[in-house]
Amino acid sequence: MVLPVDVVVMAAGKGTRMKSAKPKVLHRLGGRALAQHVIDTAAGLSARSVVVITGHGAEQVEAGLHAPAGAATQLKYVRQEPQLGTGHAVQQAVPVLPDDGVTLVLSGDVPLTRPETLQALL
């Protein structure tokens, strides 16, 4: 039996090491935001939903990301306010996640994880 897959993308951090006012996950690589690469990879896994956790620069991040064209993957946003760490961030996504599948938690600033790697993990 194959369980449905949902993906949580961590995109709430400040990215202070970037030395930029722009949220870290919106910095571009290959013409796309870092987090957009992660969302597109999730869609390539046929994830039924992607939940992006925002915090720092939430409005910018939410406006700068989108569901891949033609994908059946539903894109949702939840906010982590206040920001109390990674575990707390994941807790913010729990109310919008179905309880009948598998959830992958991915970092929005790690754009080069290959779909084959995630498929092997699943």
Side-chain angles (χ1 to χ4, degrees), residues 1-2 20 26 29 37 43 49-50 63 67 72 76 90 94-96 98 103 110 114-115 119:
M1 178 176 160
V2 176
S20 172
L26 292 182
L29 173 69
H37 284 275
S49 70
V50 174
K76 305 173 187 178
V90 174
V94 170
V96 300
T103 301
V110 181
R114 296 173 49 211
Q119 194 61 54

Side-chain angles (χ1 to χ4, degrees), residues 15-79:
T16 54
R17 289 180 294 237
M18 297 295 284
K19 306 275 190 243
S20 172
K22 180 188 288 191
K24 175 172 51 174
V25 297
L26 292 182
H27 282 267
R28 300 181 83 70
L29 173 69
R32 291 183 286 162
L34 296 177
Q36 189 64 54
H37 284 275
V38 179
I39 291 167
D40 294 348
T41 298
L45 291 173
S46 299
R48 67 178 162 185
S49 70
V50 174
V51 179
V52 179
I53 302 168
T54 62
H56 173 72
E59 294 85 8
Q60 273 185 284
V61 172
E62 292 168 11
L65 302 175
H66 60 287
T73 302
Q74 182 183 16
L75 186 61
K76 305 173 187 178
Y77 296 97
V78 296
R79 292 202 180 164

Side-chain angles (χ1 to χ4, degrees), residues 92-116:
Q92 306 317 296
V94 170
V96 300
L97 288 168
D99 60 2
D100 64 345
V102 174
T103 301
L104 286 178
V105 178
L106 303 175
S107 295
D109 62 351
V110 181
L112 300 179
T113 303
R114 296 173 49 211
E116 300 84 8

